[in-house]
Amino acid sequence: MKINIYIVDKKGKKELYEPLVEHYRKLCRPWAQVEVHEIFGKEIARAQDQGPAQAQKSYTQALERFRGSGYDIVLDPEGREVTSEAFAELLKDRQVVNFYIGGAYGFERSFVHTSDKSVSFGRITLSHKLVKVVLMEQIFRGLSIIHHHPYHK
Ligand SMILES: C[S@@+](CC[C@H](N)C(=O)[O-])C[C@H]1O[C@@H](n2cnc3c(N)ncnc32)[C@H](O)[C@@H]1O
């Protein structure tokens, strides 16, 4: 199984959260290949200076090309709150799952509504980098549930 995480973010190998991301990626390895793709560029930087609507539009334009290549799940504070068991069900029996984490301004509603699912980790707003770490842990937990591994109690 392949799991892609597309995140609107600059590449930053030495960043604070990287060891945790790597830790969960390794734990997932027996069951899934998890890859994180940082998406950023001049267009997004320029659009973010112009305002929220332009920024959100630039995220859609940058991420659009990946959609449809797997089961598309958008991370969104206003999405559906799920238990870890329900989250595991989203991964079960799928070849490719794509997760999308937005930038500072979040996603256009049309991007959220045209995806296969939107998932919320609660109504609080988390930084996109922190969401990446929480998502990695939930992916490992979900895979543990599917494969009856004792990590999930
Ligand atoms: C800084 S947040 C964007 C905040 C923006 N006001 C919004 O409502 O989406 C950046 C990204 O992190 C993710 N995110 C932040 N908090 C989240 C939460 N509670 N549940 C799920 N995803 C979250 C979303 O993908 C969001 O686009």
Side-chain angles (χ1 to χ4, degrees), residues 111-126:
F111 185 83
V112 174
H113 295 143
T114 53
S115 295
D116 293 312
K117 270 281 181 295
S118 66
V119 166
S120 171
F121 290 150
R123 298 296 177 204
I124 53 169
T125 300
L126 298 160

Side-chain angles (χ1 to χ4, degrees), residues 6-8 56 59 74-81 100-109 112 118-132 134:
Y6 296 101
I7 178 168
V8 177
Q56 290 180 348
Y59 305 157
V74 176
L75 274 298
D76 183 63
E78 290 176 29
R80 190 159 63 96
E81 289 184 53
Y100 299 90
I101 301 173
Y105 294 97
F107 287 116
E108 287 187 298
R109 288 306 89 190
V112 174
S118 66
V119 166
S120 171
F121 290 150
R123 298 296 177 204
I124 53 169
T125 300
L126 298 160
S127 84
H128 56 308
K129 289 180 194 291
L130 206 47
V131 169
K132 180 174 61 175
V134 176

Side-chain angles (χ1 to χ4, degrees), residues 73-97:
I73 305 175
V74 176
L75 274 298
D76 183 63
E78 290 176 29
R80 190 159 63 96
E81 289 184 53
V82 290
T83 62
S84 292
E85 286 78 5
F87 185 87
E89 280 299 313
L90 296 176
L91 305 180
K92 203 171 172 187
D93 299 329
R94 299 203 191 276
Q95 294 284 312
V96 182
V97 176

